[in-house]
Amino acid sequence: MTTTLLRGRTLSFRRWPDSADDHAAYAYEEDGAVLMRDGKIAAVGGYAQVAAQAGSNVQLIDHRPHLILPGFIDAHVHVPQMQIIAAYGAELLEWLNKYTFPEETKFIDAQHGRRIARLFLDEVVRQGTTTVAAYCSVHKQSAEAFFAESHDRNMLNIAGKVMMDRNAPDGVLDTPQASYDDTKALIAEWHGKGRQHYAITPRFAITSTPEQMEMAGQLAKEHPGLHIQTHLSENHAEIAFTQELYPWSRDYTDIYDHYGLLGQRTLLGHCIHLGERESDAISEHGSIAVFCPTSNLFLGSGLFDYQRYRRREKPLRIATATDVGGGTSYSMLRTMDEAYKVIALNGEKLNPLASYWQLTRGNAEALSISDKVGTLDVGTDADIVVLDSRATPGMRLRMERCGTLAEELFLLQTMGDDRAVVEVYVAGVPAKSVMDKTA
C-alpha cells in the first residue's frame, strides 16, 4: 500500500463563489495536508489532524509555503494540432483548410500519433492539467495512440476519434459506416479501461453528412453514458455555411438536437454566437457550452458572454478550455487570464475564486466527473497540482503587496504559467518532477 502525505496550503471548492469574499464556498488550510493512499485521497484537513491519521509508514512531502489544489481540467483540446499552434493569420474556416486538415492527415501514421500523444500529455501535465477532453484525428490509430499513452500514465482523460466525411481533404475523411465501426471498436477497447472515457466525436456539422450524423446519433443511443463532443457557433461564416448544408434546421443547435446529440454529457465547443432559442435548447438538455478564450481571441471569432449565459433564466452549464491549436497556450492559468479579459470586454468581472472553481470543480461538474476529480474530497482520485505564487521575480515582487488568498490567486492567474507549477500528482504519483528528470 502506497501512502503519501502532502503538506502545504490546501484549497478546494465546495460550490460556486459568489464573490472574492465568499469564504464559505471553499475549504482552505494555512497549514494543511492531503493524505494519498493507493491513488485516492484518504484524508484532508489541518496538518496535525491528518498526520495523526497517516500512521508511521508514510512518505511526507513538504510543499510549504505552496498551494495544493485539485489538478486542472481542460474541457476541449485538439491533440493533433500541436505543431500548428501559433499558425499565422486566418479565421476559422481558412485556418482549418490551410493548417489543420493538412496536419491531421499525418496521423494515419500510428508512430506519429503516439509521439504527439506522448508530447501532448507531457505538456499538459507540465502546466498542471491532469484531465482533458480530447479530439484525436479521424484515424482510429490516432485515438488508440492517445488512449495508450493516457492509460500508461494512469490519467483520467476523455477522448474520441473525429467523425468527418465531407468538406475536407481525402486524407482526413472516413465514411458514415467506417466512423460507426471504428468508434464502436474504440469504445469496446478503451472506454472504462483504467481511467479512460470515450467521447463520440462528430467534428461539426460542416464535416459530417446527414448520414454520418445519424450514425453519431445511433452511437449515442447505444451508449447513453458516453460523452459527446463537437463544435457549435464559433464563427459567423461557419454558421452561415452550416445553415446552407442543413436548410431545414431552425438554427445550428437544432441540427445536433435533431440527431439526438444533445444531452448532459454533450460538450459544445465555443458557443459564441448563440440565439436565445439555441441557448434555451442547450439549457433544457443540460448540455455544456465550452469557453475557449485564447482561441476565440486568436482566431477573431468573438467574445463568449460567460456571465450572461450563467445568469440567464435558463442558465447554461459552462466549462473552460485551451482548444489548442486554435488557442495560444496549454496552460489553464493563461486560459483563465484570457477568460477574465473576455468577460471584462463584455462589461463584467470574474472574481478570482470563481476562476479556480471553474478550472477545478466547475469543469469537473460540467464533465460529470466531479465524483472522481476536481476536488480534494476524501475518496476521490488523487489528481493534484502544487502552485508557487513566487515563481518568478515579478511574481515575488507583486506578492509583497498581496494580503488575501483571492489576491494571490489572481496574481497566479494573471502572471503565472508552467513556471508556477511545482509538482503534479496523477492518481497519487508525482508526474512533473519525474517527467522533468527524464526529459
Side-chain angles (χ1 to χ4, degrees):
M1 181 179 291
T2 304
T3 305
T4 306
L5 182 64
L6 306 182
R7 186 176 187 179
R9 295 185 296 137
T10 58
L11 174 63
S12 184
F13 289 89
R14 300 185 178 108
R15 59 165 172 78
W16 165 270
D18 289 319
S19 71
D21 299 317
D22 187 0
H23 305 302
Y26 61 91
Y28 173 73
E29 292 283 351
E30 184 68 25
D31 185 11
V34 180
L35 182 64
M36 306 185 298
R37 184 175 289 130
D38 289 343
K40 302 283 187 180
I41 294 176
V44 64
Y47 173 72
Q49 173 194 5
V50 176
Q53 299 178 50
S56 56
N57 188 25
V58 62
Q59 179 188 17
L60 172 63
I61 303 176
D62 194 340
H63 283 301
R64 292 177 297 173
H66 304 320
L67 284 163
I68 300 173
L69 292 90
F72 300 150
I73 297 167
D74 189 339
H76 182 107
V77 297
H78 289 271
V79 176
Q81 296 176 9
M82 283 195 85
Q83 291 186 292
I84 59 164
I85 193 171
Y88 170 75
E91 291 189 1
L92 175 64
L93 296 183
E94 181 189 356
W95 184 83
L96 287 170
N97 287 298
K98 185 175 181 179
Y99 299 115
T100 304
F101 295 152
E103 182 67 21
E104 293 191 5
T105 61
K106 300 171 186 174
F107 285 78
I108 194 169
D109 179 349
Q111 290 305 310
H112 178 70
R114 189 71 185 249
R115 174 179 180 247
I116 297 299
R118 181 176 71 252
L119 294 173
F120 180 86
L121 292 173
D122 281 352
E123 186 61 32
V124 296
V125 167
R126 211 167 58 79
Q127 305 284 352
T129 298
T130 51
T131 290
V132 299
Y135 288 66
C136 302
S137 77
V138 73
H139 313 97
K140 181 170 177 276
Q141 54 267 39
S142 167
E144 290 170 335
F146 178 85
F147 279 123
E149 285 291 334
S150 176
H151 185 61
D152 283 352
R153 298 157 191 259
N154 199 21
M155 293 179 74
L156 192 166
N157 285 317
I158 302 162
K161 82 157 218 94
V162 296
M163 306 167 68
M164 46 192 297
D165 66 338
R166 66 170 169 180
N167 292 321
D170 290 343
V172 288
L173 295 181
D174 54 15
T175 67
Q177 190 63 49
S179 68
Y180 175 87
D181 293 341
D182 285 350
T183 299
K184 287 284 283 187
L186 288 163
I187 292 167
E189 183 180 3
W190 289 108
H191 183 68
K193 183 174 182 178
R195 304 176 72 202
Q196 309 313 304
H197 294 253
Y198 197 86
I200 299 163
T201 309
R203 188 183 205 113
F204 64 157
I206 286 175
T207 51
S208 286
T209 60
E211 293 75 19
Q212 187 168 71
M213 295 292 277
E214 288 174 4
M215 288 293 190
Q218 183 62 32
L219 287 163
K221 287 179 186 175
E222 294 170 3
H223 304 278
L226 263 59
H227 290 83
I228 299 167
Q229 57 184 357
T230 191
H231 296 78
L232 176 65
S233 295
E234 180 178 359
N235 168 282
H236 289 298
E238 168 211 10
I239 296 167
F241 189 23
T242 303
Q243 293 294 141
E244 290 177 18
L245 294 171
Y246 292 89
W248 51 262
S249 63
R250 289 177 287 180
D251 45 51
Y252 197 162
T253 302
D254 192 36
I255 299 165
Y256 296 130
D257 197 357
H258 175 81
Y259 291 108
L261 295 173
L262 297 184
Q264 294 197 348
R265 290 176 179 257
T266 299
L267 308 173
L268 299 166
H270 305 292
C271 292
I272 302 170
H273 307 289
L274 298 176
E276 290 302 299
R277 196 214 70 81
E278 293 182 278
S279 297
D280 285 348
I282 292 167
S283 178
E284 288 161 7
H285 282 283
S287 299
I288 301 93
V290 185
F291 179 19
C292 304
T294 73
S295 173
N296 300 160
L297 293 171
F298 181 71
L299 295 177
S301 300
L303 304 178
F304 183 98
D305 205 347
Y306 182 97
Q307 296 288 39
R308 184 178 67 83
Y309 284 162
R310 194 179 61 81
R311 290 196 306 249
R312 66 194 303 276
E313 185 177 344
K314 293 183 177 181
L316 298 187
R317 297 170 67 199
I318 296 172
T320 51
T322 60
D323 193 16
V324 176
T328 58
S329 174
Y330 299 93
S331 168
M332 289 303 293
L333 292 173
R334 308 286 359 103
T335 294
M336 293 313 298
D337 179 45
E338 296 302 303
Y340 175 86
K341 297 170 190 174
V342 168
I343 293 165
L345 285 169
N346 279 323
E348 305 262 13
K349 291 290 188 288
L350 184 66
N351 79 72
L353 295 176
S355 289
Y356 287 80
W357 171 88
Q358 183 68 75
L359 56 84
T360 58
R361 185 181 195 120
N363 276 0
E365 289 180 353
L367 270 58
S368 301
I369 53 174
S370 59
D371 59 326
K372 299 179 179 69
V373 294
T375 71
L376 299 180
D377 292 353
V378 172
T380 60
D381 299 345
D383 289 354
I384 289 169
V385 62
V386 182
L387 300 177
D388 178 6
S389 306
R390 297 172 175 83
T392 68
M395 292 173 73
R396 282 196 297 277
L397 186 65
R398 177 65 181 91
M399 272 296 290
E400 293 178 10
R401 295 290 186 268
C402 286
T404 67
L405 175 63
E407 288 175 343
E408 180 181 0
L409 292 173
F410 194 62
L411 164 62
L412 268 167
Q413 171 185 314
T414 306
M415 297 183 71
D417 52 30
D418 58 292
R419 293 170 294 179
V421 178
V422 175
E423 183 57 282
V424 179
Y425 295 89
V426 175
V429 177
K432 183 174 187 291
S433 58
V434 171
M435 184 181 68
D436 288 346
K437 288 175 186 175
T438 58

